[in-house]
Amino acid sequence: TSPTHALNWFEIPVRDMDRAQAFYEAVLARPMRREPMGPKQLAVFAYEPASGAGGCLKAGPGVEPMPSWARR
C-alpha cells in the first residue's frame, strides 16, 4: 500500500533522552518504546503504521538537536 500522508516518519534529535521522553510522554499521555540502533538510542512514539505518521526521539554520537548551520 502507498502512504496516505505526506509525512510518514520523523526523528527528533535530543541530547537528554530520559528528559525528552518524559516530556513527550507527559504531553501526549502515551508511552514511548525504547529501541537501540547501533550506538544510538531511539524512543519511538506510539502509532498505527497503517493509519498515520510515526516517529521517534533520537540520541547518541553525532546526533545534534540543532545543526551548526542553524546556530548563526
Side-chain angles (χ1 to χ4, degrees):
T1 66
S2 61
T4 58
H5 303 284
L7 176 69
N8 293 349
W9 183 259
F10 61 90
E11 296 177 351
I12 301 173
V14 300
R15 286 195 182 110
D16 185 336
M17 179 63 81
D18 292 331
R19 182 176 175 202
Q21 182 174 348
F23 171 80
Y24 283 103
E25 286 178 336
V27 168
L28 300 173
R30 297 189 75 182
M32 297 178 78
R33 181 182 75 246
R34 289 272 183 120
E35 292 186 10
M37 185 176 166
K40 296 176 175 70
Q41 186 72 26
L42 305 179
V44 181
F45 291 96
Y47 73 104
E48 295 295 327
S51 65
C56 68
L57 304 176
K58 185 175 181 180
V63 177
E64 286 296 322
M66 184 182 295
S68 59
W69 58 264
R71 292 185 211 143
R72 299 171 200 229

